[in-house]
Amino acid sequence: MLTAHVVYATMTGNNEEVAKIVCDALAKHDVQVTETEISQTDIDDFVQADILVVCAYTYDEGAMPEEGLDFYDDLQDADLRGKVYGVAGSGDKFYGEFFNATVDHFDEAFKEAGATAGAEKVKIDLEPYEEDVERLNKFADGLVETAKHLSA
Ligand SMILES: Cc1cc2nc3c(=O)[nH]c(=O)nc-3n(C[C@H](O)[C@H](O)[C@H](O)COP(=O)(O)O)c2cc1C
């Protein structure tokens, strides 16, 4: 059975909701899912799963969540070859070029650590609406498909 670990960072709940949608979609594929808040997540536990997902907000014009910086540093030092990853997030289009900058930073960190992208990153504007749920369902489909392919 495939396993997934979904980590979220949230202040007002949007990214927790994004994470929940991804968890539900993965569970529908019979993936065994663990979900944790970023500051409560040990990188050594996180990297045990086959599918690694981060859902996190952006603050202060492109800043990453402060409570997630240790996790981010540890992720950059990890060896994630053979792992499948995906990054999704809720930000605010109002911030223009900084829209969901955190999603880009985590995407880069996973790539640098040697992980395989299972799906294109998903950037959501504020709370997830119906079309965002669709995008996140497809995101989860991609993660599972890629993980099955890698483990075959
Ligand atoms: C002071 C402040 C700065 C923000 N800066 C950004 C930003 O640079 N880029 C972005 O995409 N969103 C930015 N946001 C918007 C949040 O990322 C957005 O509201 C997000 O949905 C919050 O997620 P959460 O509900 O999980 O905390 C900012 C919000 C606040 C209050």
Side-chain angles (χ1 to χ4, degrees):
M1 189 189 224
L2 284 172
T3 57
H5 195 140
V6 178
V7 166
Y8 65 88
T10 190
M11 282 202 300
T12 62
N14 291 338
N15 283 280
E16 190 173 3
E17 169 119 31
V18 170
K20 188 184 179 303
I21 294 163
V22 173
C23 286
D24 289 349
L26 289 170
K28 280 192 190 134
H29 284 285
D30 286 331
V31 174
Q32 190 188 317
V33 187
T34 303
E35 184 188 17
T36 55
E37 194 277 328
I38 200 161
S39 68
Q40 308 294 317
T41 308
D42 190 299
I43 196 80
D44 295 330
D45 297 333
F46 181 64
V47 302
Q48 298 301 316
D50 304 306
I51 298 170
L52 308 176
V53 180
V54 170
C55 306
Y57 70 92
T58 304
Y59 207 64
D60 271 352
E61 311 219 319
M64 296 207 288
E66 202 149 295
E67 73 278 19
L69 291 179
D70 285 347
F71 179 85
Y72 177 75
D73 286 345
D74 291 342
L75 190 68
Q76 283 184 309
D77 293 338
D79 178 2
L80 299 181
R81 282 174 295 180
K83 302 290 179 182
V84 172
Y85 82 90
V87 186
S90 159
D92 186 340
K93 279 195 173 148
F94 170 81
Y95 291 93
E97 63 180 299
F98 301 116
F99 177 52
N100 268 307
T102 295
V103 170
D104 294 325
H105 291 311
F106 272 103
D107 188 62
E108 280 301 314
F110 275 115
K111 224 176 274 176
E112 287 284 307
T116 301
E120 271 290 304
K121 54 194 171 188
V122 177
K123 296 182 174 183
I124 291 164
D125 191 28
L126 300 169
E127 66 264 48
Y129 286 98
E130 218 168 291
E131 69 264 25
D132 300 312
V133 176
E134 278 307 305
R135 290 164 73 204
L136 291 170
N137 284 338
K138 290 213 173 84
F139 171 81
D141 292 347
L143 296 174
V144 173
E145 218 164 281
T146 308
K148 279 186 180 159
H149 196 73
L150 270 196
S151 64

